[in-house]
Amino acid sequence: MVFSTTTQYALKILAYMNEHKERLCSAKTLSEELDIPYKYLTKIMTKFTKNEMIESIQGRYGGFKLIDSKIITIYDILKLCDGDSAKACIIGKIECNEKKKCHYHDAWQKPRASIKKDFLDADLKSCGVKDS
Amino acid sequence: MVFSTTTQYALKILAYMNEHKERLCSAKTLSEELDIPYKYLTKIMTKFTKNEMIESIQGRYGGFKLIDSKIITIYDILKLCDGDSAKACIIGKIECNEKKKCHYHDAWQKPRASIKKDFLDADLKSCGVKDS
DNA sequence: TTCAAATACTACTTCTTAGTGGTAATTAAA
DNA sequence: TTTAATTACCACTAAGAAGTAGTATTTGAA
């Protein structure tokens, strides 16, 4: 189980944008600051924009920014980049449920539930913020 | 976050072998029963054998079997197929720890701990067995 | 209105994972 | 000792993810 390169990039990018939400972030800046290949990064940004996770402003002095009103969870990010992170069955069995369990069903339940719940709770804008 | 095809195959294979530990399982049988491409399966089996996760018996009437004395956890299987499933930092930051946390550190702790603990506890031979 | 700096788009290359093909080596039964 | 069914090995192809290249489009300032 691994988070793809794209997912890791995505998480880094959004965390950076969140830390600098007062200004636009250009692809050039993001690429340099986060050490992500420029062209690959722009691809990811376009994807985010199309999925309305962020807003893009074109033309000179343009860039990207988070949408104030929008809540983005870690789960949303993973889902967009890698697909559903907490699939019901670890071995992809269709008929795997509480009544008819695959061999690994019980062992997978806790990690899976934790991933789903904790990542759905983890709003990008607040998850790095200390409780006070 | 996704379990690779190889990992899913591996989990299926070992669960099947565990359910039939009284006899040898040939690659042909495993391939047919579990619907895994034969040639790809034999590659995985060789890998398992080399890592001493299972035992292989060559020649006619040969096949594969679990080693009675050997404990195999889900964690072992994931590690062999996909690498460490519970990396310390979700975005691969080297300096990410309790003192200096990355943006996602706290959100990742519970799922990560659950994966590590519950998968290390999940012995192949007993994880599908009901408590009695 | 021109221009430079930015995003958007299309297509390609490279690398890794998944899957295939052929053959050698092994082994127990007949 | 022959044979057939098995694992082991080597090399290839196919598909998908990661990364690159070039160009079109957009846009605000000079």
Side-chain angles (χ1 to χ4, degrees):
Chain A
M1 189 210 72
V2 164
F3 297 95
S4 69
T5 304
T6 303
T7 297
Q8 289 186 243
Y9 287 168
L11 290 169
K12 278 192 205 178
I13 291 165
L14 292 172
Y16 183 93
M17 288 175 71
N18 185 61
E19 279 160 25
H20 299 84
K21 46 175 162 280
E22 74 286 357
R23 64 170 169 82
L24 285 183
C25 297
S26 72
K28 185 162 178 287
T29 303
L30 291 168
S31 164
E32 288 168 355
E33 290 293 318
L34 302 173
D35 197 33
I36 298 171
Y38 174 79
K39 284 286 188 175
Y40 197 69
L41 182 138
T42 60
K43 244 188 199 172
I44 297 173
M45 299 316 281
T46 301
K47 193 175 178 182
F48 284 167
T49 304
K50 283 191 172 167
N51 279 273
E52 293 176 323
M53 249 188 202
I54 60 175
E55 193 179 336
S56 82
I57 291 164
Q58 290 191 34
R60 194 169 186 175
Y61 309 107
F64 302 92
K65 65 173 184 179
L66 296 176
I67 301 165
D68 280 345
S69 60
K70 177 113 187 172
I71 289 175
I72 301 175
T73 68
I74 295 185
Y75 199 77
D76 295 328
I77 303 168
L78 299 194
K79 197 161 190 175
L80 181 58
C81 297
D82 268 351
D84 193 346
S85 296
K87 291 237 177 66
C89 179
I90 195 173
I91 55 174
K93 214 169 189 175
I94 302 191
E95 199 192 334
C96 175
N97 50 54
E98 278 304 310
K99 284 186 181 165
K100 195 164 165 50
K101 300 174 176 178
C102 87
H103 187 76
Y104 305 99
H105 190 85
D106 290 333
W108 175 223
Q109 281 328 287
K110 267 178 61 191
R112 163 177 130 80
S114 186
I115 288 167
K116 186 142 195 172
K117 176 173 188 316
D118 295 329
F119 282 175
L120 272 173
D121 283 348
D123 171 22
L124 170 70
K125 295 185 186 103
S126 58
C127 74
V129 179
K130 310 281 178 302
D131 294 329
S132 56
Chain B
M1 191 210 71
V2 165
F3 297 94
S4 70
T5 304
T6 303
T7 296
Q8 289 186 242
Y9 286 169
L11 290 168
K12 277 192 205 178
I13 292 164
L14 293 171
Y16 183 93
M17 288 174 71
N18 185 61
E19 280 161 24
H20 298 84
K21 45 174 161 283
E22 74 287 356
R23 63 169 169 82
L24 285 182
C25 297
S26 72
K28 184 162 178 287
T29 303
L30 291 168
S31 164
E32 288 168 354
E33 291 293 317
L34 302 173
D35 198 32
I36 298 171
Y38 175 79
K39 283 287 187 174
Y40 197 69
L41 182 138
T42 60
K43 245 189 198 168
I44 297 174
M45 299 314 282
T46 301
K47 191 175 180 183
F48 284 166
T49 304
K50 283 193 173 167
N51 279 275
E52 294 175 323
M53 251 190 202
I54 60 174
E55 194 179 335
S56 80
I57 291 165
Q58 289 189 34
R60 194 169 186 178
Y61 309 107
F64 302 93
K65 66 172 183 179
L66 296 176
I67 301 166
D68 280 344
S69 60
K70 177 113 187 171
I71 290 175
I72 301 175
T73 68
I74 295 185
Y75 199 77
D76 295 327
I77 302 168
L78 299 194
K79 196 162 192 175
L80 180 58
C81 296
D82 268 350
D84 193 346
S85 296
K87 293 236 178 66
C89 179
I90 195 172
I91 56 175
K93 215 170 190 173
I94 302 192
E95 198 191 336
C96 175
N97 50 54
E98 278 305 309
K99 283 186 180 166
K100 195 164 165 50
K101 300 174 176 179
C102 87
H103 187 76
Y104 304 99
H105 190 85
D106 291 333
W108 175 221
Q109 280 328 287
K110 267 178 62 190
R112 164 176 128 82
S114 186
I115 288 167
K116 185 142 195 170
K117 176 172 188 316
D118 295 329
F119 282 176
L120 272 173
D121 283 349
D123 171 23
L124 171 71
K125 295 184 186 103
S126 59
C127 76
V129 179
K130 310 283 179 299
D131 293 327
S132 56

